[in-house]
Amino acid sequence: MRDVWRSARGREVCGERGHGVVKGGGSVVGGSIFAARLFSIVCAGCSLFVLAALSKRFLPRLHSPRIVAVAALHPFVIWCAVEIRLYAMVLLISSLLILLFYDGFLADRTSRKARIWYGVLAAVGLYTHYHTGFLLVANCGVLMFQSRWKNARKYLLNMLAVGVVFSPMVFVVLNQVGDHTSEISEPWSVVIGVKHIIWQVQHYLLPVGIKPTPLENSVSLWTWRLLPLIAILGVLWKSRGMTFWKRNSAIWLVSIGTALFFVPLLKITGSELLSFRHTIVLFVPVLIGSFALCAAIGGNRAVGWWSCAMICFGCSTLLQNYHHNSKGGDWIRVANHIENNEVAKEPVVVFIPWASISFGYHYDGQNQIVVLPQPEECE
């Protein structure tokens, strides 16, 4: 039995040499943090162009720069851009999937090329992030709800091919779900699940910072108390004309359908594995759906006010989260701070076991590092 975390230098993990991070490593574009983030930055930037195309399709009477401006200043999009992980790529894939779904299955003149690329991207999305599958099923539900049976058959044939491509991963997914959910013992009910997803949707639409001000809390609270009432009254008033439903039902159904899949998933994975980044496929349909609702009820004036509200909340959150010009997980800064302020013979206690390797690699101080709780041992 060997410790998962062997030394403060992070050069040995699970007793196997060569699995630690090596200082000075690089890539074709360099070994800096910016180079490591470059792919995420590009994906996030491309997502903005896709959002502009989506707004022209779902909201033809709306000026696309509004939704692009909101997304460009959204804390979640910026978080994806500076995160050296897959989330910016998933954001781009989910945006492209909705765009290709519209062109290939919803448009008045559907495109065969769009359907082919939709299938290719669907397979890529499943291999990248399993929750992409919820978006694929929701899209199929839209076609059935709107009685587009011919396009629904084409869609199912497309998904059959995607299923064949993804089939080698089925047992891998089952094993991974079992490994990550064996210790889950949180209370769950449908109401708890729905509240959890609604809370995440609220964060996507009107994000608040780590330490929101009393004014932000008050505005956010009353906004979410009044918005449902305004939306219901607006829908009842506009429902007299069927154009309201035909023009906007697709994006709303995609949002609601995708969100509903996360409710039972919360029981399987627990809230720790269903945070904002895990439900990222919800971000784009929810964002566009909120603008569609505003446009349908109050026109461009309502869209303008909604855009201003989202931008104000987004900028305030950005200032709170990044006013130190750093982000969570910046272990270089943490290690340097401790080295400059520590006293001899005072152990450094790390309360995040999974972060101990990264911190220990950058820490060159004089004290011992103690990890609590102790990491699990490798068999």
Side-chain angles (χ1 to χ4, degrees):
M1 306 289 284
R2 298 187 180 184
D3 292 337
V4 173
W5 189 79
R6 288 294 300 270
S7 69
R9 302 299 300 164
R11 298 212 182 260
E12 190 171 331
V13 182
C14 296
E16 298 182 6
R17 296 190 180 276
H19 287 248
V21 181
V22 180
K23 282 185 177 179
S27 63
V28 176
V29 293
S32 66
I33 293 178
F34 174 77
R37 289 173 173 167
L38 185 58
F39 181 72
S40 294
I41 295 171
V42 171
C43 287
C46 291
S47 299
L48 299 180
F49 287 97
V50 179
L51 276 172
L54 282 172
S55 67
K56 291 177 181 179
R57 283 158 173 79
F58 287 100
L59 308 168
R61 298 180 181 178
L62 179 68
H63 297 296
S64 61
R66 292 181 182 177
I67 192 170
V68 174
V70 168
L73 295 172
H74 199 287
F76 186 68
V77 175
I78 293 177
W79 177 86
C80 292
V82 299
E83 193 73 9
I84 311 174
R85 287 191 281 180
L86 54 82
Y87 298 109
M89 182 178 177
V90 178
L91 182 66
L92 177 59
I93 289 174
S94 60
S95 303
L96 286 171
L97 281 174
I98 298 176
L99 179 65
L100 293 171
F101 174 68
Y102 184 94
D103 291 346
F105 300 95
L106 292 180
D108 295 332
R109 299 182 61 182
T110 59
S111 168
R112 183 172 178 270
K113 184 182 294 186
R115 290 195 294 270
I116 294 173
W117 280 111
Y118 182 85
V120 172
L121 200 62
V124 173
L126 287 174
Y127 272 94
T128 305
H129 196 270
Y130 301 146
H131 295 169
T132 305
F134 298 158
L135 183 61
L136 302 180
V137 178
N139 288 343
C140 183
V142 170
L143 296 176
M144 294 182 176
F145 183 85
Q146 295 186 347
S147 301
R148 299 172 182 259
W149 303 114
K150 182 178 179 180
N151 287 343
R153 286 193 295 269
K154 294 178 181 178
Y155 188 91
L156 291 175
L157 289 174
N158 202 328
M159 290 300 100
L160 180 62
V162 173
V164 172
V165 174
F166 187 71
S167 59
M169 289 292 294
V170 172
F171 293 104
V172 176
V173 174
L174 294 176
N175 289 333
Q176 287 181 338
V177 171
D179 291 341
H180 288 287
T181 58
S182 58
E183 302 297 329
I184 298 299
S185 58
E186 298 179 8
W188 180 89
S189 67
V190 174
V191 175
I192 292 175
V194 171
K195 285 183 177 179
H196 182 83
I197 300 304
I198 291 176
W199 176 62
Q200 302 222 30
V201 170
Q202 291 177 2
H203 180 78
Y204 287 151
L205 295 180
L206 293 179
V208 292
I210 299 174
K211 296 180 180 180
T213 63
L215 177 61
E216 285 179 321
N217 279 329
S218 178
V219 172
S220 178
L221 176 64
W222 281 103
T223 298
W224 290 112
R225 285 178 176 177
L226 295 175
L227 274 181
L229 178 61
I230 295 173
I232 291 172
L233 292 176
V235 168
L236 292 175
W237 177 58
K238 287 286 187 177
S239 61
R240 292 175 298 177
M242 291 303 296
T243 306
F244 172 83
W245 294 105
K246 292 180 179 179
R247 188 169 61 243
N248 300 284
S249 62
I251 192 62
W252 294 335
L253 289 172
V254 170
S255 304
I256 296 172
T258 306
L260 288 177
F261 280 105
F262 287 105
V263 174
L265 186 65
L266 182 66
K267 179 178 176 61
I268 301 173
T269 64
S271 58
E272 185 177 352
L273 295 178
L274 208 61
S275 60
F276 300 121
R277 65 183 186 272
H278 299 123
T279 57
I280 189 171
V281 294
L282 264 179
F283 179 79
V284 173
V286 163
L287 182 65
I288 300 174
S290 68
F291 275 93
L293 185 61
C294 289
I297 294 175
N300 278 332
R301 179 174 297 180
V303 169
W305 282 107
W306 181 240
S307 301
C308 290
M310 291 191 68
I311 290 175
C312 288
F313 271 81
C315 290
S316 176
T317 301
L318 287 174
L319 289 174
Q320 292 179 45
N321 293 349
Y322 298 102
H323 70 281
H324 290 303
N325 196 28
S326 63
K327 64 184 292 293
D330 189 351
W331 301 114
I332 297 177
R333 181 184 291 265
V334 173
N336 289 337
H337 175 77
I338 292 177
E339 290 169 16
N340 294 329
N341 295 277
E342 66 182 346
V343 178
K345 297 183 180 180
E346 288 188 353
V348 180
V349 182
V350 180
F351 292 100
I352 310 176
W354 56 262
S356 58
I357 296 177
S358 300
F359 169 74
Y361 181 73
H362 296 291
Y363 175 72
D364 291 321
Q366 56 185 318
N367 291 308
Q368 178 187 3
I369 298 178
V370 179
V371 185
L372 294 177
Q374 288 292 321
E376 298 178 359
E377 293 183 341
C378 296
E379 298 181 357

